[in-house]
Amino acid sequence: MAFEFAFTPEQRLLKRSARQFMRSQIEPGLPDDDWSGHGGDSPLELVKRMQHQGWFGIGIPRALGGAGMGEVEYCILMEEISAVDSSLGTIFGAHSGIGLMPIYLFGNDDQRERFVRPIAEGRHLAAFALTEPTAGSDAASIKTKAVRDGDDWLISGTKIWCSNGNFADTVVVFAVTDETLGAHGGVTAFIVSKGTPGFTVGTIEDKMGIRQSNTAELIFDNCRVPKQNVLGKVGEGFIAALTALDGGRVGLAAACLGACKRLLDDCVRRAKDRERYGKPLGKNQSIQWMLADMATDIHLAEYAVYHAATLTNEYYEKIAHGEPVPRALREKVSRAAAAVKIHCSEMTGRAGERAIQIFGGDGLKMKYRIDRSFRDQVITEIYEGTNEVQRLIIARELLQEGA
Ligand SMILES: Cc1cc2nc3c(=O)[nH]c(=O)nc-3n(C[C@H](O)[C@H](O)[C@H](O)COP(=O)(O)OP(=O)(O)OC[C@H]3O[C@@H](n4cnc5c(N)ncnc54)[C@H](O)[C@@H]3O)c2cc1C
């Protein structure tokens, strides 16, 4: 059946109100110079304002304190937040997409009540800790261990690159619980609260882009976690990680879409307003082609992102309600998520280069924020699984299927 997509009236309203809120209430509060950010506490005031909108539990049922919406609405918010600031988009994505979602999808009733509710109500922030110094792309080779000690588990190891690491009240941590079984069977997910003895935050990374997003090293030294905090079944943590990353990638693609649309708007304005050789820049065919190429990328991305979001929503609904998930659906979601992640992150790279070219020297000045978009984009080709790894996912499936 052909895919048809149109926002519902409620989704259109959400998009309009999110755009209006981000541009009137958040954008004026952004620092002109993000170099001072360093992922410190500075964005938290803005994050609080966004939490008050009820967005931080967008995909969680109302009965658990959420907004009762789904992945399409999550992507709408990722788009509108990232159109204003990619650091805020990263904070929101790390929280909703990969931090909160696995707890909701794989948590039991008690965990949903204890952890999902305060997060969905906008009182707590969440994070996702998988990556380690020796396990980035090859996430299956994590070394952090958890050993059983009576009714508890003791977690030891170091996680790196954890977005929201120093902000989060609740972190989903992946650890090896049986090294004889490999990632599928030997890795378990744990819910760890800030302040748990044995859990400390190490280095906060000073990055070239998304500088207001906090990226931290997390250290676990015999961190004692009760068995009630095991997320899902022992040994089934890796599938929880992969499931969360699928939705996370679609959200990231939506973030890129928002950032790209904003760049195009800025470039169109510039092309109309700036005169050179006695005529607006936009009268030159070379500039027109750059604008048209950006618009073409965006046009195609928009359908692909919301198609992937619709598929992911169907997938997550089944998991959340304990229904069987057809393998074909899971594979379709992974492939769509990988494809939109690649396309949207790379189109944002192309748009950033074109925008700097269209802005000329001004593109390098911080006050136009074109430089910021350019630096912020670099990470989108890396996190949530590098684009090379996404290509591997797609190619593996193609070759298995015999195309
Ligand atoms: C700002 C930021 C925020 C992040 N947030 C989080 C977070 O919240 N939680 C979390 O768990 N992680 C997070 N990450 C980690 C991120 O997911 C990893 O950086 C990413 O998966 C890549 O791992 P790596 O950096 O170790 O690169 P490596 O794995 O060392 O890869 C280096 C290069 O080799 C390529 N490569 C590796 N293997 C292959 C292969 N088999 N075939 C072809 N090419 C290959 C990669 O594509 C890449 O280009 C974050 C990272 C950054 C930079």
Side-chain angles (χ1 to χ4, degrees):
M1 194 172 70
F3 173 74
E4 283 181 36
F5 184 80
F7 287 136
T8 63
E10 293 75 20
Q11 289 165 344
R12 280 202 299 275
L13 180 64
L14 175 71
K15 198 161 196 316
R16 257 200 321 275
S17 60
R19 171 175 296 216
Q20 210 260 337
F21 179 82
M22 286 304 297
R23 299 197 185 198
S24 65
Q25 306 298 311
I26 300 295
E27 190 156 2
L30 290 175
D32 285 335
D33 160 11
D34 71 335
W35 288 105
S36 57
H38 299 197
D41 287 346
S42 46
L44 284 181
E45 188 44 48
L46 297 177
V47 169
K48 265 200 201 91
R49 284 189 221 165
M50 289 157 60
Q51 280 174 314
H52 286 149
Q53 296 300 299
W55 294 349
F56 279 57
I58 187 77
I60 305 301
R62 285 180 195 276
L64 279 168
M69 298 184 187
E71 290 302 295
V72 170
E73 291 83 356
Y74 166 59
C75 285
I76 287 174
L77 291 180
M78 280 297 273
E79 217 196 298
E80 293 305 330
I81 294 170
S82 306
V84 165
D85 187 65
S86 294
S87 292
L88 292 174
T90 298
I91 293 169
F92 181 66
H95 163 89
S96 304
I98 52 177
L100 166 60
M101 202 39 88
I103 312 181
Y104 169 58
L105 292 181
F106 297 97
N108 55 34
D109 288 347
D110 167 62
Q111 291 167 338
R112 285 178 171 184
E113 200 52 51
R114 279 192 298 139
F115 299 107
V116 171
R117 181 178 293 286
I119 299 174
E121 288 177 349
R123 292 183 282 122
H124 284 178
L125 267 180
F128 171 95
L130 177 65
T131 305
E132 298 182 4
T134 54
S137 299
D138 183 13
S141 63
I142 58 169
K143 301 272 183 293
T144 292
K145 270 196 190 131
V147 290
R148 194 74 196 252
D149 185 38
D151 271 352
D152 300 332
W153 288 85
L154 294 173
I155 305 177
S156 293
T158 300
K159 297 292 180 180
I160 56 170
W161 294 119
C162 182
S163 299
N164 294 348
N166 195 33
F167 296 164
D169 303 276
T170 308
V171 186
V172 179
V173 180
F174 299 88
V176 176
T177 43
D178 187 338
E179 40 193 18
T180 64
L181 294 177
H184 291 279
V187 168
T188 301
F190 295 87
I191 309 169
V192 184
S193 299
K194 188 178 197 164
T196 305
F199 167 26
T200 50
V201 175
T203 308
I204 310 282
E205 300 300 341
D206 191 4
K207 314 179 295 297
M208 69 177 276
I210 54 164
R211 288 176 60 74
Q212 299 281 325
S213 154
N214 177 278
T215 318
E217 175 190 42
L218 306 183
I219 301 159
F220 300 89
D221 181 9
N222 277 317
C223 173
R224 186 174 288 277
V225 174
K227 69 172 189 216
Q228 290 81 359
N229 286 22
V230 168
L231 181 59
K233 293 196 182 117
V234 170
E236 294 188 0
F238 205 62
I239 187 75
L242 298 182
T243 305
L245 283 166
D246 278 335
R249 283 171 194 143
V250 179
L252 171 58
C256 292
L257 180 62
C260 228
K261 283 184 183 175
R262 188 67 189 269
L263 269 180
L264 179 59
D265 289 347
D266 291 345
C267 289
V268 168
R269 205 171 313 112
R270 180 80 173 187
K272 285 179 168 172
D273 293 349
R274 190 169 178 89
E275 290 207 354
R276 282 296 181 260
Y277 297 98
K279 60 180 182 186
L281 283 179
K283 292 279 180 198
N284 295 295
Q285 199 181 52
S286 62
I287 301 284
Q288 290 171 6
W289 283 18
M290 284 196 254
L291 297 176
D293 285 347
M294 285 165 85
T296 303
D297 263 348
I298 289 170
H299 179 80
L300 299 177
E302 188 144 38
Y303 286 99
V305 165
Y306 287 101
H307 173 238
T310 306
L311 282 176
T312 312
N313 196 58
E314 186 187 339
Y315 178 41
Y316 282 2
E317 286 274 301
K318 287 194 187 304
I319 299 173
H321 296 107
E323 292 168 21
V325 180
R327 186 175 167 177
L329 176 62
R330 198 168 55 227
E331 288 176 354
K332 229 164 139 182
V333 168
S334 290
R335 185 154 148 183
V340 294
K341 199 269 182 185
I342 295 171
H343 176 72
C344 293
S345 58
E346 293 178 3
M347 87 171 171
T348 318
R350 290 190 289 275
E353 283 176 22
R354 287 175 184 135
I356 291 206
Q357 205 60 27
I358 291 170
F359 270 71
D362 282 347
L364 277 75
K365 287 188 193 163
M366 284 189 176
K367 79 171 186 177
Y368 291 98
R369 296 196 182 152
I370 301 292
D371 74 300
R372 187 186 299 189
S373 309
F374 189 77
R375 288 184 282 105
D376 286 348
Q377 175 279 330
V378 175
I379 181 55
T380 63
E381 296 188 31
I382 297 172
Y383 63 6
E384 308 246 6
T386 67
N387 286 8
E388 290 75 20
V389 170
Q390 301 316 300
R391 286 183 165 91
L392 286 181
I393 293 172
I394 296 171
R396 198 178 300 138
E397 218 196 291
L398 284 174
L399 294 169
Q400 256 173 21
E401 281 176 1

